[in-house]
Amino acid sequence: PEEYEACMRYYQEMSNSLGITAIHDAAIENPEHTLNAFLSLAKKGELTVRLRKDMLARELPGTPRLDDALDILREEAKRDYGDLVQSRTIKMMMDGVVTTFNAALDEPYSNRPGYYGELLYDPEELKHFCQKVDADGFQLRIHAIGDRAIRIAIDAIAYAVDKNGKRDARHTLCHLNMINEEQMERMAKYNIIADINPGWHTAGIIAGAVPFIGEERARKYRRNHSFLEHGIVVDASTDAPVVAFVLDDQNALSPFVTIQVGMTRCDIGKDHTDMANVHAPEERCSLEEMIRAVTLDAAYSMFTDDVSGSIEVGKYADLAILDQNVFEIPVENIYKTKPIATYFEGKEVYHV
């Protein structure tokens, strides 16, 4: 337990050094150790981030069916986590990723004829599970990358909402690499949040998917501004720690990398004015749109927008003072931005 607590202490210190005061952990592993470490810090008054913990509805010991998993998740949700730790979200993995052939597609892989990838859940079973989860008041958070996986995930959420009635559920789909126009329209209709990872939306990274899905599908791969055009709330997350492992760069955890790439769709260090370095320039967002996506709308997806996510009277002072004004510098230098100080509930938790 002491080692886990030391790791969590290091993790939150690193987060604070990047100006981060809230973490949405999409699937805490070893919860008896990892979560308890966060709770221990909270009880000591030493937790300096807000934590939204997802309960993973797969690979639960002795739970071969989703209904069995739900019973365990209901019991888990009864625990008292205190004010800084929340656990009312159920995370599901609808498919895998494109570059390992396990994203679920509507059309076959370009470099594996006749193969469409696999869904991780039966669509009908998923619908009924999501209805029960929604009826219980949980938030759903579903990983869906391939267009088939996205379609089935939307179907399940739509089924739940149609059966149970609309409420402030804030159900979320994650990644959404191969989403199409019709699917975005349905997301808007059912108030589904898009949790996307703009730090991945560079021409260099996206080029890696071309052999798997071909040039035509790749042109609409990893969209960004289109969600906003459809009126969908966008939560721009880093996908940490996966992104740091893949890019071999701890700076990829920085929200300022997310902001810059969301604005340029270009690899850091390359000329974003050269369209040869930019993927789908029509998907670029403004600075104001990206800031909102990493602050207020990210807090909205975590149900903490009533106390954080913006600097307003009545909210906690969760904020960072930066070493440069991002509105006054060239966009290619935004990723270099560093906090001088970070505050959590008005208390300084990081200082250069």
Side-chain angles (χ1 to χ4, degrees), residues 21 47-50 84 317-318 342-349:
T21 58
L47 189 61
T48 59
V49 293
R50 301 184 193 284
L84 297 182
D318 295 353
T342 302
Y343 292 82
F344 181 68
E345 296 192 348
K347 178 183 176 182
E348 187 178 84
V349 293

Side-chain angles (χ1 to χ4, degrees), residues 285-331:
C285 291
S286 69
L287 176 58
E288 291 84 355
E289 288 167 338
M290 287 307 305
I291 289 176
R292 183 181 179 105
V294 301
T295 56
L296 184 58
D297 285 345
Y300 174 82
S301 76
M302 294 175 63
F303 285 89
T304 60
D305 55 308
D306 58 331
V307 296
S308 65
S310 59
I311 303 173
E312 299 179 53
V313 174
K315 291 190 177 184
Y316 288 118
D318 295 353
L319 56 91
I321 300 173
L322 309 179
D323 63 353
Q324 54 184 350
N325 186 341
V326 294
F327 288 92
E328 297 179 353
I329 61 174
V331 63

